Amino acid sequence: YNATVELDRAAPDDGEVDVVLRRLEEYHAAVGSSPAGRARVTITLDASSLERATSEAIEVVESAFRAKARAAEVLPTVDFDALFLT
């Protein structure tokens, strides 16, 4: 699965991005900002179901940023790739 989680906090500065990327290294994370200027993270994770992927994505991203999630979009990787890589 691929999950994009938007956090209820401002986008990180460069130094903070490095710290978060280290914390999320096993999830092949990409960190950026939403159109509203909030922190946004996309991760890849292995999960047995959409529900488990959603729960795990929110948990690991909140832990890495030490902030609460505001929104999450979770897709099977094949669907994510079809949307964003073609």
Side-chain angles (χ1 to χ4, degrees):
Y1 288 89
N2 288 80
T4 301
V5 180
E6 186 170 322
L7 295 144
D8 197 16
R9 54 149 290 161
D13 62 29
D14 289 342
E16 191 176 18
V17 167
D18 291 339
V19 170
V20 170
L21 287 175
R22 279 194 298 277
R23 291 178 186 156
L24 294 171
E25 184 175 0
E26 71 182 277
Y27 297 97
H28 310 284
V31 178
S33 62
S34 72
R38 288 186 283 271
R40 179 184 281 174
V41 182
T42 299
I43 62 172
T44 302
L45 63 158
D46 214 8
S48 58
S49 67
L50 176 62
E51 294 82 2
R52 183 67 195 131
T54 303
S55 173
E56 184 178 341
I58 291 170
E59 287 174 22
V60 300
V61 171
E62 284 183 339
S63 177
F65 265 97
R66 294 170 172 78
K68 288 297 201 177
R70 183 177 179 95
E73 179 179 26
V74 182
L75 299 165
T77 297
V78 67
D79 295 338
F80 181 88
D81 290 350
L83 281 172
F84 299 105
L85 298 181
T86 56

